[in-house]
Amino acid sequence: MNNKYKILVVDDEKDIREVIEIYLINEGYNVILAEDGEKAMEILKKEKIDLIVLDIMMPKINGIRLCKLLREKSMKIPVIMLSAKVEGYDKILGLNVGADDYVSKPFNPLELIARIKSQLRRFEYFKEDTNENKDEIIIEGLRININTREVFVEDKFIRLTPKEFNILAYLAANRGTVLTSEQIYDKVWKEEFYNDDNTVAVHIRNIRGKIEINPKEPRYIKLVWGVGYKIEK
């Protein structure tokens, strides 16, 4: 049963909230609904949420702003963005502020459920998988704590999204090895790759912007042209 998971659904369209709620309840999840970003923030202050389904276009606080605020407070909650917009820019914008996945409206509820299960499974799997390794990885001032999922550069705490942390930890655990975008995607997203180099590249760019003094001349994550990425030993 999935009743150990509590999912927050944030959408200003009542019909969409209720449809998602029905499918989630049928799968055994606990569900909390919010009609806008302000209500969602109130709920997040009181409830322990395991995953958020978040619409982009909402009154008061939109989904992009809410996701950004969320990532400033907690890096661990997976976020799946919903939007009627299908332009690549909106997807990249969502990923840039910390979303873990993106579903365009109109959507098949069964697909959304599958993506929710996948996000929860990945998050749990990665925690179990990395816990088998060293509790902490240290590389020239970069410190990655696997158990607490915290990252420090020269003792300065760095806020990373769940996906960003998983990518960085994977590269660090395999330092000295060049990992392709497909390998990174397979490990972190755990779904078919579809030659989606851009998704990995966006996340790598975001990580560099947070951990590198000069992202254009990275100290940690190196690009090996035509192959992939690596962290030197």
Side-chain angles (χ1 to χ4, degrees):
M1 292 295 290
N2 295 315
N3 55 15
K4 68 176 181 177
Y5 293 117
K6 187 176 293 184
I7 298 176
L8 174 61
V9 178
V10 190
D11 198 301
D12 61 332
E13 297 184 56
K14 182 180 178 182
D15 291 346
I16 290 179
R17 292 198 306 271
E18 291 179 347
V19 167
I20 296 174
E21 179 184 30
I22 289 170
Y23 277 84
L24 287 173
I25 289 174
N26 285 341
E27 291 292 331
Y29 293 106
N30 293 316
V31 185
I32 299 179
L33 304 179
E35 65 274 14
D36 58 55
E38 284 189 0
K39 181 64 176 178
M41 289 297 290
E42 293 175 8
I43 292 170
L44 287 165
K45 291 176 183 177
K46 301 174 184 177
E47 301 281 349
K48 180 184 179 299
I49 301 297
D50 297 294
L51 182 142
I52 302 175
V53 178
L54 179 60
D55 185 34
I56 287 182
M57 302 299 292
M58 294 187 298
K60 298 181 180 179
I61 301 177
N62 65 33
I64 295 295
R65 178 61 179 159
L66 178 59
C67 188
K68 189 173 182 180
L69 290 171
L70 173 66
R71 291 312 185 208
E72 291 173 355
K73 298 177 181 297
S74 171
M75 297 297 98
K76 297 182 179 181
I77 305 175
V79 175
I80 298 177
M81 287 280 198
L82 299 179
S83 178
K85 294 186 176 182
V86 295
E87 292 89 346
Y89 172 79
D90 296 290
K91 179 178 180 180
I92 291 173
L93 182 59
L95 294 174
N96 275 335
V97 297
D100 298 285
D101 204 350
Y102 188 101
V103 177
S104 298
K105 296 180 180 179
F107 57 87
N108 183 331
L110 293 177
E111 179 190 353
L112 177 60
I113 295 299
R115 288 176 179 264
I116 288 170
K117 289 181 178 179
S118 181
Q119 285 295 329
L120 291 171
R121 185 167 59 247
R122 284 181 212 129
F123 189 61
E124 292 297 327
Y125 175 86
F126 196 90
K127 286 193 298 185
E128 294 172 3
D129 189 37
T130 51
N131 282 339
E132 295 176 1
N133 301 323
K134 292 175 58 178
D135 291 344
E136 195 167 74
I137 301 173
I138 300 175
I139 307 169
E140 295 184 358
L142 171 65
R143 182 157 54 92
I144 305 167
N145 191 304
I146 299 301
N147 289 330
T148 64
R149 297 179 65 83
E150 292 177 323
V151 174
F152 298 86
V153 175
E154 306 296 351
D155 293 326
K156 178 184 177 183
F157 175 65
I158 306 297
R159 292 185 179 276
L160 297 182
T161 69
K163 282 288 190 300
E164 291 167 0
F165 179 88
N166 291 351
I167 291 170
L168 181 61
Y170 182 41
L171 287 167
N174 293 277
R175 53 195 179 277
T177 301
V178 180
L179 299 171
T180 66
S181 292
E182 183 173 0
Q183 286 175 307
I184 295 170
Y185 195 92
D186 287 345
K187 176 65 177 181
V188 176
W189 277 263
K190 298 194 182 300
E191 62 185 34
E192 194 168 351
F193 181 59
Y194 293 119
N195 292 319
D196 193 2
D197 287 332
N198 194 51
T199 297
V200 173
V202 168
H203 282 80
I204 293 289
R205 185 165 64 246
N206 290 342
I207 297 168
R208 281 174 168 169
K210 295 176 181 180
I211 70 171
E212 303 283 2
I213 295 175
N214 182 359
K216 293 183 179 179
E217 296 182 5
R219 176 184 181 188
Y220 299 113
I221 302 178
K222 308 286 188 177
L223 171 65
V224 180
W225 285 102
V227 184
Y229 303 91
K230 71 172 180 176
I231 291 179
E232 299 284 5
K233 280 192 175 181

